[in-house]
Amino acid sequence: FNFLDDTACNLASVNLVKFLREDGSFDVEGYRHANRVFFLAQEILVGFASYPTEKIARRSYEYRPLGLGYANLGTLLMMQGLPYDSDAARAWAGSITAVMPGEAYAMSAEIAASVGPFAGFEDNRESMLDVMRMHRDDARKLESSLVPRDLRTAAIESWDRAVALGAQHGYRNAQATVLAPTGTIGLLMDCDTTGVEPDFALVKFKKLAGGGYFKIINASIPPALQRLGYSSQQI
């Protein structure tokens, strides 16, 4: 995915299930911190990456687009006992998705304060800040009764900070986040689901490039059923 012709971005996917505690609560501060660390690492990589053409290298360096994203949303909802197509699931997804770019753009503005914004920022300043303000305003529309208070508060606070710092310093990156399919990465991270998709089967067979198949079984079913009140014998 490219937001401009002749650019490229490096991708990083955060496994959302890693932030679920044993009691089912979500580690909001840990998630925010992980977003900041991953984003900083990706920004550093812009100058060290290999690009297929000189033009792509130059424009990627000028605009510095990044693709921070997440995997395993479907599993997170499953383990919370939430139907994928429900208001509660959408509120959770919206809050988690709002926190990520909010933290990313706030971090991008902090980096810009030290080393300057991306080369094209001043030409796009008002348009970009308008978009940032729309994101900030939408964070306040998240349904407060359907998600934990600290998760919704984090989304609002992250975007308030991202807009305030961006107006002051600009942004180091023209793009911060991308929700990629995470097929192979998700498999390597032991995710039961990929980017934003639900699981299409509890048992799947993956075709291997070198021939043959292997079976993948969704391991999140037992904790999901436990969360819904099923006994160990029933599970």
Side-chain angles (χ1 to χ4, degrees):
F1 170 78
N2 293 321
F3 79 125
L4 286 175
D5 289 343
D6 296 302
T7 56
C9 70
N10 53 65
L11 302 175
S13 297
V14 177
N15 184 351
L16 295 177
V17 171
K18 297 296 184 182
F19 300 94
L20 269 185
R21 301 187 181 97
E22 288 188 9
D23 63 359
S25 63
F26 190 78
D27 181 7
V28 176
E29 289 309 311
Y31 177 59
R32 296 176 75 173
H33 179 69
N35 285 324
R36 293 174 62 81
V37 170
F38 271 80
F39 190 84
L40 178 59
Q42 287 176 275
E43 160 58 23
I44 293 170
L45 282 174
V46 170
F48 291 91
S50 296
Y51 300 95
T53 70
E54 186 276 334
K55 188 174 183 180
I56 290 176
R58 185 178 68 254
R59 287 174 67 83
S60 295
Y61 191 77
E62 290 172 350
Y63 287 89
R64 313 184 75 79
L66 300 181
L68 180 64
Y70 58 66
N72 231 6
L73 175 66
T75 302
L76 174 75
L77 299 177
M78 194 181 299
M79 293 179 71
Q80 293 291 86
L82 297 174
Y84 189 86
D85 185 17
S86 67
D87 289 339
R90 281 185 282 273
W92 268 84
S95 299
I96 286 171
T97 308
V99 170
M100 176 170 277
E103 286 296 330
Y105 279 113
M107 187 66 175
S108 184
E110 290 178 37
I111 299 170
S114 297
V115 294
F118 68 91
F121 175 72
E122 286 304 326
D123 291 339
N124 297 279
R125 178 185 179 89
E126 291 310 313
S127 296
M128 187 167 186
L129 287 174
D130 280 346
V131 172
M132 296 298 111
R133 286 188 283 265
M134 285 191 283
H135 281 297
R136 178 198 60 192
D137 295 344
D138 277 350
R140 286 175 163 74
K141 298 176 184 177
L142 293 165
E143 182 53 62
S144 58
S145 64
L146 298 177
V147 292
R149 178 181 297 178
D150 59 344
L151 182 57
R152 181 178 181 273
T153 299
I156 294 171
E157 195 278 330
S158 296
W159 274 109
D160 282 346
R161 203 168 77 256
V163 171
L165 290 173
Q168 186 175 358
H169 306 296
Y171 300 98
R172 183 63 174 166
N173 313 88
Q175 174 186 288
T177 55
V178 170
L179 289 183
T182 72
T184 302
I185 294 174
L187 180 66
L188 293 174
M189 292 196 299
D190 203 26
C191 298
D192 287 315
T193 58
T194 54
V196 298
E197 304 93 328
D199 206 2
F200 67 88
L202 301 184
V203 179
K204 302 178 285 291
F205 292 86
K206 183 171 180 65
K207 186 176 181 180
L208 303 175
Y213 297 83
F214 72 93
K215 184 164 66 173
I216 305 171
I217 299 173
N218 190 316
S220 63
I221 299 303
L225 292 174
Q226 187 176 26
R227 174 85 173 170
L228 290 170
Y230 288 84
S231 69
S232 57
Q233 184 177 3
Q234 288 172 315
I235 293 172

